[in-house]
Amino acid sequence: MVQKYQSPVRVYKHPFELVMAAYERRFPTCHLIPMFVASDIVNEETSEDGSTQKIERRCALDVDAPRLLKRIAGVDYVYFIQKNTLNRKERTLHIESHNETFSNRVVVHETCCYSVHPENEDWTCFEQTASLDIKSFFGFESTVEKIAMKQYASSIKKGKEIIEFYLKELDDEGVTHVPRWSPSSHSLPLSSPTSLSAIQPDPAVIPAVSVPLATDAKDGTSQDAKQDSSMLQTDSLVEILAGTPEDKLDADYIKRYLGDLTPLQESCLIRLRKWLQETHKGKIPKDEHILRFLRARDFNIDKAREILCQSLTWRKQHQVDYLLETWSSPQVLQDYYTGGWHHHDRDGRPLYILRLGQMDTKGLVRALGEESLLRHVLSINEEGLRRCEENTKVFGRPISCWTCLVDLEGLNMRHLWRPGVKALLRIIEVVEANYPETLGRLLILRAPRVFPVLWTLVSPFIDENTRKKFLIYAGNDYQGPGGLVDYIDKEIIPDFLGGECMCEVPEGGLVPKSMYRTAEEVENEDIRLWTETIYQSASIFKGAPHEIVIEIIDASSVITWDFDVCKGDIVFNIYHSKRAPQAPRKDTLGAHGITSPGGNNVQLIDKSWTLGQDYSMVESPLTCKEGESVQGSHITRWPGFYILQWKFHNMPACSATNLPRVDDVLATLQVSSHKCKVMYYTEVLGSEDFRGSMTSLESSHSGFSQLSAATTSSNQSQSSSMISR
């Protein structure tokens, strides 16, 4: 398996030329990197005008590996070839390196780049990518991979510290400025021992120049900047990030808004974020929410991507991005739902209080139904996400989860009413799947004897990592040492728990039976809420595409679409016909002998129709992979009937042998019964109303999603389309 690494953008608040002077001090050896034993220049080239310099080095590394492994491998040092290309005119340094030792067994490839910050020419950016492919290593492949990843992660962490160390060293020597290259200058190579002396001022004649952005050796921030307020630092950082090319992540931004991550965790976040930008153009989740899904799957990118894509589809289908704007709690919830937000805990996390023991769960389910309760809980979680963002700004540190305090006084067998427990389990299931790592701590107070029964019922549905965050107190144990005051300031402990703070959470009580609705009314309301979506679902089988027809009366109308590929790979086509297709029929799926469960499968193009005579293709086929989100539009040229088709994507065979490739076979096996699923929405707009985006894409403005400007466009046969994935 190939291991990959992608760094965030690391920023040095120093000019490029000064950073290069510090970088060259790492050679031929560096005492700050014990494993870096030596380096020799094997080739060096400099352009006639001195603007470009190429240096090739052979570097020796003393890898920290078990002695037995070294003896088996028969080497003491591992050698790497490093090729540096310094362009003083463009102010860039490109570095490429690969292993020379064991190159037929292990392939290590690394690329780095120093460049000028796009928004501040006196700052320098650094980016790094690497890959590790262990083909074979005497049966120790797994061990070598772990050693390599550990060593690499350690060197990444030290990288910025080393440059900062040499920058400080230069500053101590009085070197605070290195002139930029110009055509008239005759700059010496930076590797030349006399090059720095040429730019160093004589302390006896010229006093050391004070650089306003001179950094502290420990944290890389200026002494002046430390005196500024955190709000000003935040504003300047946001301003800087606004101009970062390709919307890349800055290392300082990650630390400020997302927390301390290891280099490999940063890499996972950047790679998953990049994949989302490529496949979900138009909108992607916020960085902190992507990070939650990664943490929920221990930074396994494939697993995190799977559950994140499922959650994005769920959010789109049920318009969750609009929930805080559209959901209005019924009066019975406002009066009898015993939960609400209440200040924050000692760590700055939003605090939610739920007096579950005082809640009439049976009455609420009978009066509202399961779906209304679920919508209300989802709105609470959406509000929690919003409060986390606010507290991150207020407290000046990353806050990505909240604390929940559950008071169980009054809990009895009435709360174990079967439909109520069923509703609770479903709510837990939905929240666990779509709001991972949002619960920082759960304080359960005054747990009665009946609590173990309830816990036995619900605990299997709660993720193990979440269960570790539960703290349970029986009776009045929460009032003693290690109790509530360890997590919540005494001043905000609610009055009903013995504190002095008035809490606005409703006291609850029994819901009057006059508010109960019949089972039929509750069921109809649940169905209405569950199906309240502009999106439709369809199942696609091999040999059985799903098709919809759109009749266009006025030419130059605009057909827009928005669909998600929930399962499998599909091909999207658009056809035009002058005559209406046959009446929609649900396919029996021929050889499959089964009907399509959980989604429509409608075919409109008659088997007797001939492409090019009875109907024509108006857009090139678009192949869409599982997990992709696709939005686009087509400006119609003729009136008539336009057919949108989603069909099963057949894997191409190897051209040489006409046999399927191994990767394709494995991918096909993952699609059970050759079945694909899509969720789609279409809309027809008049050309005068079309503005290049769909109504459904307004969800990108929600607190959960953020816009990405990246789109692709194509023009064909006097019709234009804009497809973004």
Side-chain angles (χ1 to χ4, degrees):
M1 179 179 178
V2 179
Q3 296 284 352
K4 295 182 179 180
Y5 171 78
Q6 170 69 60
S7 76
V9 179
R10 306 191 188 280
V11 178
Y12 298 98
K13 298 179 181 179
H14 297 277
F16 174 80
E17 290 73 19
L18 196 61
V19 173
M20 290 298 97
Y23 172 78
E24 285 297 325
R25 293 202 169 195
R26 297 177 52 175
F27 302 100
T29 184
C30 178
H31 70 279
L32 298 174
I33 313 177
M35 66 180 294
F36 186 41
V37 179
S39 64
D40 299 313
I41 296 178
V42 296
N43 187 36
E44 184 173 1
E45 299 177 9
T46 304
S47 63
E48 292 184 2
D49 61 359
S51 63
T52 304
Q53 179 186 19
K54 296 181 180 180
I55 298 179
E56 182 176 337
R57 292 184 176 93
R58 188 170 186 260
C59 307
L61 303 182
D62 184 7
V63 179
D64 184 14
R67 182 174 297 179
L68 175 62
L69 187 60
K70 286 187 175 182
R71 291 184 63 181
I72 293 174
V75 297
D76 291 324
Y77 300 134
V78 176
Y79 289 91
F80 277 76
I81 301 298
Q82 183 191 75
K83 298 179 180 179
N84 292 4
T85 302
L86 174 64
N87 190 321
R88 295 185 178 90
K89 183 178 180 180
E90 300 294 334
R91 304 179 76 194
T92 61
L93 173 64
H94 292 281
I95 306 169
E96 289 189 16
S97 61
H98 63 272
N99 61 306
E100 182 183 72
T101 308
F102 302 120
S103 58
N104 60 330
R105 295 178 178 271
V106 179
V107 179
V108 179
H109 186 261
E110 180 187 54
T111 60
C112 306
C113 179
Y114 288 88
S115 60
V116 178
H117 194 286
E119 292 295 318
N120 189 330
E121 63 178 12
D122 290 328
W123 288 3
T124 305
C125 294
F126 173 75
E127 289 184 83
Q128 184 177 11
T129 62
S131 63
L132 168 67
D133 184 8
I134 300 178
K135 302 180 184 298
S136 65
F137 203 85
F138 312 107
F140 292 92
E141 291 80 13
S142 178
T143 302
V144 172
E145 181 178 298
K146 290 178 181 178
I147 292 174
M149 296 304 293
K150 181 180 178 181
Q151 295 273 340
Y152 194 72
S154 177
S155 65
I156 291 169
K157 195 172 183 179
K158 289 182 179 179
K160 186 173 183 179
E161 297 175 5
I162 292 169
I163 294 295
E164 295 286 0
F165 171 84
Y166 286 121
L167 285 168
K168 180 67 165 54
E169 189 175 81
L170 286 169
D171 186 65
D172 292 341
E173 295 173 3
V175 180
T176 58
H177 174 71
V178 178
R180 297 183 186 180
W181 178 90
S182 63
S184 59
S185 66
H186 300 283
S187 301
L188 293 171
L190 284 179
S191 59
S192 170
T194 61
S195 60
L196 284 181
S197 61
I199 59 175
Q200 291 178 359
D202 184 352
V205 180
I206 305 174
V209 181
S210 175
V211 180
L213 290 174
T215 59
D216 183 82
K218 293 183 179 179
D219 57 15
T221 57
S222 68
Q223 297 295 336
D224 294 336
K226 288 182 178 178
Q227 300 174 2
D228 295 338
S229 67
S230 61
M231 187 61 69
L232 289 175
Q233 292 176 353
T234 301
D235 291 342
S236 63
L237 179 60
V238 171
E239 182 179 352
I240 291 167
L241 291 175
T244 304
E246 298 180 18
D247 194 24
K248 297 177 181 177
L249 288 186
D250 183 289
D252 294 334
Y253 162 82
I254 291 177
K255 186 174 182 179
R256 167 64 179 84
Y257 290 96
L258 305 179
D260 291 320
L261 303 178
T262 68
L264 297 182
Q265 289 174 344
E266 289 178 340
S267 175
C268 290
L269 172 62
I270 293 168
R271 288 163 56 198
L272 181 54
R273 187 177 185 268
K274 182 179 180 181
W275 181 86
L276 287 168
Q277 287 175 325
E278 292 172 351
T279 60
H280 288 66
K281 288 180 180 177
K283 62 188 185 315
I284 62 171
K286 291 186 176 179
D287 299 323
E288 53 267 32
H289 208 67
I290 299 175
L291 187 58
R292 290 186 181 104
F293 282 88
L294 282 167
R295 283 176 170 150
R297 290 299 179 266
D298 295 323
F299 287 88
N300 183 308
I301 291 185
D302 292 334
K303 293 180 179 180
R305 178 168 53 199
E306 180 181 358
I307 61 173
L308 177 56
C309 288
Q310 292 172 355
S311 180
L312 291 176
T313 301
W314 170 83
R315 294 185 69 91
K316 180 185 287 187
Q317 183 176 8
H318 299 290
Q319 299 290 285
V320 179
D321 287 348
Y322 290 120
L323 198 57
L324 289 179
E325 303 170 7
T326 59
W327 171 253
S328 179
S329 299
Q331 190 62 43
V332 65
L333 276 175
Q334 298 178 30
D335 295 338
Y336 296 98
Y337 188 87
T338 55
W341 294 99
H342 181 75
H343 301 283
H344 56 80
D345 67 4
R346 288 184 179 271
D347 296 322
R349 297 166 174 159
L351 176 62
Y352 189 83
I353 294 179
L354 180 64
R355 302 184 67 179
L356 185 59
Q358 304 298 316
M359 185 184 299
D360 181 11
T361 54
K362 180 178 180 179
L364 289 174
V365 173
R366 292 288 300 273
L368 294 170
E370 188 177 307
E371 289 301 321
S372 291
L373 279 176
L374 176 59
R375 287 291 178 97
H376 186 65
V377 173
L378 294 181
S379 70
I380 293 171
N381 281 271
E382 290 295 305
E383 174 65 17
L385 295 176
R386 188 188 66 80
R387 287 174 178 261
C388 285
E389 288 187 27
E390 288 184 354
N391 286 15
T392 295
K393 297 175 183 178
V394 170
F395 292 100
R397 60 179 183 273
I399 295 172
S400 61
C401 54
W402 51 83
T403 294
C404 185
L405 187 155
V406 181
D407 180 22
L408 296 183
E409 185 183 49
L411 189 76
N412 53 44
M413 295 302 294
R414 178 183 176 87
H415 291 85
L416 299 181
W417 180 57
R418 186 177 181 85
V421 173
K422 175 176 172 290
L424 175 62
L425 294 179
R426 176 152 181 264
I427 289 172
I428 292 175
E429 182 181 15
V430 173
V431 171
E432 281 282 308
N434 298 286
Y435 300 92
E437 297 297 317
T438 53
L439 181 64
R441 184 179 294 116
L442 181 66
L443 304 171
I444 299 177
L445 310 184
R446 301 196 280 195
R449 292 182 179 180
V450 74
F451 173 72
V453 179
L454 181 62
W455 178 248
T456 302
L457 292 172
V458 302
S459 60
F461 295 86
I462 301 174
D463 181 74
E464 182 180 355
N465 291 333
T466 304
R467 291 201 300 266
K468 293 177 181 178
K469 303 171 184 177
F470 285 31
L471 296 173
I472 303 173
Y473 300 90
N476 293 323
D477 292 348
Y478 69 92
Q479 296 178 343
L484 206 55
V485 291
D486 284 11
Y487 306 103
I488 301 174
D489 289 332
K490 185 177 180 181
E491 294 77 16
I492 64 170
I493 294 179
D495 52 348
F496 63 85
L497 292 176
E500 300 177 356
C501 184
M502 295 297 295
C503 185
E504 298 180 357
V505 175
E507 296 183 0
L510 296 177
V511 177
K513 292 187 177 181
S514 60
M515 293 185 173
Y516 286 13
R517 291 189 290 180
T518 65
E520 183 179 358
E521 290 175 333
V522 170
E523 182 180 0
N524 290 336
E525 178 65 11
D526 283 351
I527 293 174
R528 184 188 70 81
L529 289 174
W530 178 248
T531 58
E532 194 177 58
T533 175
I534 61 175
Y535 290 90
Q536 300 181 56
S537 297
S539 296
I540 297 119
F541 290 80
K542 194 170 185 178
H546 177 71
E547 298 163 345
I548 62 173
V549 62
I550 299 175
E551 183 178 4
I552 297 296
I553 298 176
D554 298 325
S556 299
S557 295
V558 181
I559 301 174
T560 61
W561 58 83
D562 178 4
F563 65 86
D564 286 73
V565 185
C566 307
K567 182 179 180 181
D569 300 342
I570 60 100
V571 177
F572 178 63
N573 291 304
I574 306 177
Y575 300 103
H576 172 264
S577 176
K578 294 181 179 179
R579 57 172 173 159
Q582 62 182 359
R585 62 179 177 85
K586 293 206 173 183
D587 185 73
T588 58
L589 304 179
H592 293 282
I594 56 175
T595 57
S596 172
N600 294 324
N601 183 269
V602 178
Q603 295 177 52
L604 301 170
I605 299 177
D606 193 278
K607 301 292 184 182
S608 62
W609 281 19
T610 302
L611 183 63
Q613 296 181 7
D614 302 290
Y615 66 110
S616 58
M617 183 179 292
V618 295
E619 289 280 0
S620 295
L622 180 66
T623 301
C624 309
K625 301 293 185 179
E626 180 176 325
E628 291 188 350
S629 179
V630 182
Q631 301 86 35
S633 60
H634 174 81
I635 301 177
T636 63
R637 181 184 177 187
W638 313 280
F641 300 89
Y642 286 81
I643 301 171
L644 276 58
Q645 180 194 74
W646 294 266
K647 72 175 183 178
F648 186 88
H649 175 54
N650 293 306
M651 297 295 179
C654 180
S655 57
T657 62
N658 206 32
L659 295 175
R661 296 170 295 183
V662 174
D663 292 343
D664 297 335
V665 172
L666 293 176
T668 303
L669 291 175
Q670 293 175 356
V671 184
S672 61
S673 303
H674 301 288
K675 179 180 179 180
C676 302
K677 286 185 178 180
V678 295
M679 184 184 72
Y680 65 91
Y681 167 73
T682 61
E683 185 177 3
V684 178
L685 303 173
S687 58
E688 67 278 2
D689 299 325
F690 181 63
R691 296 295 180 269
S693 63
M694 300 171 51
T695 304
S696 63
L697 295 185
E698 291 178 359
S699 62
S700 303
H701 296 284
S702 72
F704 176 83
S705 301
Q706 57 191 19
L707 281 176
S708 168
T711 56
T712 60
S713 61
S714 63
N715 292 286
Q716 304 177 349
S717 62
Q718 301 185 28
S719 69
S720 65
S721 67
M722 182 181 68
I723 301 172
S724 63
R725 298 197 296 176

